[in-house]
Each structure stands twice: as structure tokens, then as C-alpha cells.
Amino acid sequence: MMDDDEVIAVADPHAAEEARCSLQRCLQQVQQQHPLVHCLTNEVVTNVTANALLACGASPLMVVDRDECRALAALADGMLINIGTFSASRADAMRQAIEVRHASNLPWVLDPVAVGALAPRTEWVLSVVAHCPPSIVRGNASEVIALAGGEGGRGTDSTVQPCHALPAARQLLTQGVNAVAISGETDLIVTADGVLAVQHGHALLTRITGAGCMLGALMAAVAGLKDVDAGEAALVATLWFTLAAERAAVSAQGPGALMAGLLDALYVLAEESTTLSSLRVGRVFAAEASSMIPQRRACDPRPPIAMTIAGTDPTGGAGLQADLSTFRALKVFGASAITAVVAQNTLGVNDVAPLAPAMIKAQIEAVFEDLDVDALKIGMLGQADIVMAVAECLLEQGDGHPPCDIVLDPVMVSTSGHALLMADAECLLWERLVPLASLITPNLAEAEALLGRDIPPTPEGLEAAALELRDRGARQVLVKGGHMEGRLALDVFVNEQGDVHRLSLPRVNTPNTHGTGCVLSSAITALRAQGHDWLEAITLARRFLQEALQAGQSERFTLGHGPCLIHLPRLLKP
């Protein structure tokens, strides 16, 4: 297990069940498809790597000739590049094969053995990754850090824990790598959707040569299957290999017996795929881990600061109170400006008393006069003169520009159906605030109101709506599909470049959904204040909200839809 003061892995039954289904499906597919795996690997482990692939049902080819490598790279289903045995001729052959795979958009796995410890291989592999990024990087923490330009370890030994390599792994994702598998006592699988922790394996694996090489080859085999993406391949291979190690270690008295037993266990697992039981798979939440907070915070003595401009909720489940609770939960200092005093509860909105625009401006000015706000969330505004006042005040604070990152949650209608934004304010919202916002976060109904049309409740409908909102002037858009039906909760994020990201999580069956929109937008704001990039902040915020919903899904103490923050997510320390 990872130390709690470094990173927290939260057991996630949904992730574990999805992982079990993926593993079962891929085990069967390997038996049916027998993927051809081209291995350019360490000479010390060529034999055991080939035997491991054969035990799993894959077909290995250990070709190292330069010309043959180019031909085979185009034919193989998967490819492993393991730079353990490094020489000029071997490097040339590997580059030839990599260029073929990259040009054809075919999956390949990089095992950057001893990168960071030895200069020639480090320079070579950094150049390769910059021009032809692999589908999957599999290495120990020091190797992953060195691959992202940091300081490496001692030969093949890592000098840091897997959690310390998370920032480096995320940097590699921005360079075109699809998944990073960080090996250690707890293995971490890092993708754009988040970080999964695999808590299987055995300590004896560190006493045999080639464990990581076999795992990398297995990742290449699974990545070569049809309809399996890099993240799933890294996760499935890691589970397959570490579960086999656990089985082999039961009867092994030492490393020699473990090696023989490992091949048998890989074979048995492939044959008994239908008997797989529950898995120890969790989600890693970066908001708590100091290793995930960007380095600019390490030398900044002040805490990250987020601000909310919103209406109140006297029951504490939504609005400004929920925003501040979320800021606090994510270790961000929270400031606020009240726009309206709202008499509401989980049954509905009883009354709204907007504050005078001058008083709202005075609150915002007071905060910016005293605090260096990193990110700002705008929630309920209610009426046109308040929209105008907030827009004018923010421009004043930023000398004609947004004073910081702004997340605009266009709160238009309450869950109970009460209008929270007057019709005459909608046009002003578009004209004055949307251009200032870094991100807008409408739900499906709000997106329909903003676009003035119905939106089909499908992934394609959400994607089209997000792109249209961006085309109409929003810089970045997150259209939330939480009210759609289905097993998965889907949101669609479109960034400034127009890249579309469909983000899905298992739906939590709970009546306690009051304040979900407020919590999500304020969590994004808090994580952005910490310095996470937008996709990362959105992904982590969605995990945070899901964990909150899971933590309180069975509790009822209100008459209506209970608050989603019944309990602070378990990823947080007391």
C-alpha cells in the first residue's frame, strides 16, 4: 500500500468490476486471436519473455535485424521495445520498427530500462518519444520521471515510490503517450481518465530477472487485440501478471520456483478466465497528494485560493455553502461573494432575495483587494443587473481582462423546476460573462436553454451541443449528461482547440443528488486553483463527485433529494 501522506488509493467497486470484465474478455480474446508480438527486448530475458507470451496464448517473435524489423513491425499485432540491451545497431533497428508503427498508428509499448542512469540510452529514448510517442510506457517510477526529463534512478532500481512519478506520467500524456504503467509495490495505471491502483503481486517478483520485461510484452499482446485501447491493455496486463505472481508465490519457496510457477500461473489464468473473482483495484485521487500538485506550489508559501460568486442554500447542500465545503475538502482556501439569499431546501425553492448589485460588487472588490485569487467559480446570478455588475467588476479587477481562471456554471433552473435566471439575463450572460469564462458547465437542460433547441440525450447529442456552444463564443465547454439514463454518467468536454473528450463514469444509484452541479463546478475551480490543467481538473473533479455520491448513497435524512455531500469523500483526511 502507498503511504497515506503521499497518495490515497480509494477502493472502487465499480472500477474493480469493470477491470474484472475487461480482464476476462481480454484473456479469452488472446486465446482466440493469438496476437503476434514483435519483441525487441533485453538479451538477458529473451527466453523468459517469449515463454511468458506463449503461456498466455500469444505468439512471440524476437527479431532484431534492422531490415527484418521494418517488415515485421508492419505485420505484428503488438510490439515491445525494451532498451535493456542497448547498442548502436540495436538502437537503429528499434528506431526503424518504431517509425513504421508510428506511421501506421499501430500500438507499441516502451520499456525505458535504466533511462536516466545512462546518458546514451537516455538521449536516444527522449528523442524517440518526442517524435514517435509510444502507446504505453511501462517502467518503474525513476524511469518514468527520467523519461519526462527528470532525474533517473540507479540502473534498473527505482529510488522513489510510484506516486512520485505521477506528475511525470501526466506530462508524458501531454506528449502523445496514451497510458503510463508505473510498476511498484502498488502498480499505477495513468491515463487521461485518471489513475487506477492495482494492489496485487508479490515481493518475490523483485528477486527475479525479467519480471518487468514479461509484463511489458504482455501489455503489447493485449494492446494488439481488436477494440482494446492502451489504458485497458495496461490495466489488463498488469492484473494478469500480478495475479499470476500471487498464485505462483503460494507454493514457491524462492525465486527459482517462482519463475517456473509464474509461467504455469499465466497459462492457468488464461484457461480459467471465467473463474476470476473480485479484484483489488482502486482510484488514486490527486487532489490529496502533494506529489500531484504542480511544482509552482512547492515554493509558494500561500495556499491555493478559489472564490465563488453564488446564491445561498440555508440547508448547506448547494449554492455558496456547497462551494465552500468543496473548496475546503480539496485543501483550497475559499472566498465568496453572495449574489442572492435563497430560501431553499431539498424540496424546492421557496423565495429568492437578490442583493443589490453595488453590494455584490463591493464584496468582489474586497476579496480581490486582499487575496490573490487563483480561480473563480460563478454560480447563480439571477437577474440582468447582477450579471452586468459581476461582469463589469471582474473586468475592473483584471484591467480589462479576466482576473483569473473563471468557471461559469450557468445556473438557470433549480432541480425542482424553479427559474433561477430571468429571461432578460440570458442574453447578457452570453454577451458579458461567457467571453470572460475559461469554461462553462451547463447541464443538458441549461445547454438546451442556451442554444434555444432540444438536444438528443445521446453521446452524439451532447458532443454536438458542446461544439455548438464553443462555436457561439464559449472558450471551453463541459456539457453534463448526469440526468441522462444509462449505466454510465457521461459528460462531454470540448477544449479551446476543439478537441472532444467523452468522459464517462459508472452511474451511482442514489437519491442524494442535491447540489451535484455546484459541487462539480466548484471542484473544477479548486483543482484549477491548485494548478492542474483543464482536462485533469475536470477528470479529478468528476472522480471527487462520484466518490461523494458513493459515500452517502444509502443515507436519507431529508424529505427531498438529499445533498450529494452528505459525507466528504473518503479520499480526504480528517
Side-chain angles (χ1 to χ4, degrees), residues 498-541:
D499 300 322
V500 177
H501 300 270
R502 293 186 182 183
L503 308 173
S504 61
L505 287 171
R507 187 178 298 279
V508 179
N509 183 21
T510 176
N512 301 319
T513 56
H514 181 58
T516 49
C518 301
V519 169
L520 180 61
S521 58
S522 56
I524 294 170
T525 305
L527 291 160
R528 186 62 183 169
Q530 287 183 345
H532 296 284
D533 66 42
W534 283 106
L535 180 58
E536 189 174 80
I538 291 168
T539 301
L540 293 171

Side-chain angles (χ1 to χ4, degrees), residues 313 315-318 322 346 510-516 519 548-549 552-553 555-567:
D313 177 0
T315 64
T346 60
T510 176
N512 301 319
T513 56
H514 181 58
T516 49
V519 169
L549 291 168
Q553 68 184 113
E555 298 199 27
R556 293 300 301 271
F557 62 88
T558 65
L559 297 176
H561 291 286
C564 63
L565 279 182
I566 292 175
H567 300 294

Side-chain angles (χ1 to χ4, degrees), residues 297 302-309 323-324 326-328 330-337 367-368 371-377 404-405 521-530:
R297 285 281 170 216
R302 68 176 179 84
I305 298 172
M307 181 182 183
T308 174
I309 302 174
D323 294 341
L324 292 176
T326 302
F327 292 165
R328 189 178 306 112
L330 292 173
K331 310 303 184 190
V332 172
F333 185 83
S336 63
V367 170
F368 277 91
L371 300 177
D372 187 5
V373 178
D374 293 296
L376 167 69
K377 176 256 176 91
C404 59
D405 289 326
S521 58
S522 56
I524 294 170
T525 305
L527 291 160
R528 186 62 183 169
Q530 287 183 345

Side-chain angles (χ1 to χ4, degrees), residues 62-347:
M62 325 305 276
V63 172
V64 296
D65 177 78
R66 178 183 185 277
D67 294 329
E68 287 191 337
C69 279
R70 287 194 64 88
L72 183 56
L75 299 174
D77 297 301
M79 184 175 76
L80 168 67
I81 298 293
N82 176 311
I83 63 169
T85 303
F86 188 79
S87 65
S89 60
R90 182 68 68 94
D92 185 33
M94 289 189 290
R95 187 181 288 275
Q96 294 292 323
I98 289 168
E99 288 176 351
V100 170
R101 301 293 287 187
H102 181 71
S104 302
N105 196 29
L106 295 172
W108 67 282
V109 178
L110 172 65
D111 190 338
V113 178
V115 164
L118 299 168
R121 70 180 59 207
T122 300
E123 293 173 4
W124 181 86
V125 79
L126 288 178
S127 173
V128 166
V129 171
H131 294 92
C132 302
S135 310
I136 303 172
V137 168
R138 191 229 65 85
N140 63 39
S142 289
E143 290 165 345
V144 171
I145 290 172
L147 201 60
E151 184 176 351
R154 187 186 63 178
T156 59
D157 296 332
S158 180
T159 57
V160 296
Q161 296 300 312
C163 61
H164 296 142
L166 287 172
R170 277 191 153 70
Q171 181 178 326
L172 291 173
L173 297 184
T174 67
Q175 295 176 222
V177 177
N178 299 123
V180 181
I182 311 171
S183 298
E185 183 176 350
T186 295
D187 296 302
L188 302 180
I189 311 299
V190 187
T191 67
D193 290 330
V195 184
L196 290 177
V198 176
Q199 296 172 328
H200 290 280
H202 196 275
L204 271 179
L205 282 173
T206 62
R207 299 298 185 93
I208 63 174
T209 297
C213 307
M214 287 186 278
L215 175 55
L218 188 52
M219 287 183 186
V222 179
L225 299 173
K226 296 178 181 178
D227 300 321
V228 175
D229 63 29
E232 185 178 23
L235 175 63
V236 164
T238 299
L239 284 167
W240 193 347
F241 188 76
T242 54
L243 286 169
E246 286 182 353
R247 287 197 179 192
V250 170
S251 58
Q253 296 184 353
L258 179 74
M259 180 64 84
L262 186 56
L263 295 177
D264 290 343
L266 288 169
Y267 172 79
V268 171
L269 273 173
E271 295 293 315
E272 299 178 356
S273 61
T274 57
T275 65
L276 291 168
S277 58
S278 60
L279 304 174
R280 295 192 298 277
V281 176
R283 296 198 182 278
V284 174
F285 291 87
E288 181 61 22
S290 60
S291 63
M292 290 295 292
I293 296 175
Q295 291 302 306
R296 68 180 184 85
R297 285 281 170 216
C299 58
D300 193 339
R302 68 176 179 84
I305 298 172
M307 181 182 183
T308 174
I309 302 174
T312 66
D313 177 0
T315 64
L320 181 138
Q321 284 93 334
D323 294 341
L324 292 176
S325 294
T326 302
F327 292 165
R328 189 178 306 112
L330 292 173
K331 310 303 184 190
V332 172
F333 185 83
S336 63
I338 300 172
T339 59
V341 177
V342 184
Q344 67 170 311
N345 54 32
T346 60
L347 295 173

Side-chain angles (χ1 to χ4, degrees), residues 473-488:
R475 286 172 56 191
Q476 299 185 114
V477 183
L478 178 70
V479 176
K480 300 173 293 187
H483 297 298
M484 292 166 54
E485 296 182 355
R487 186 176 64 86
L488 297 176

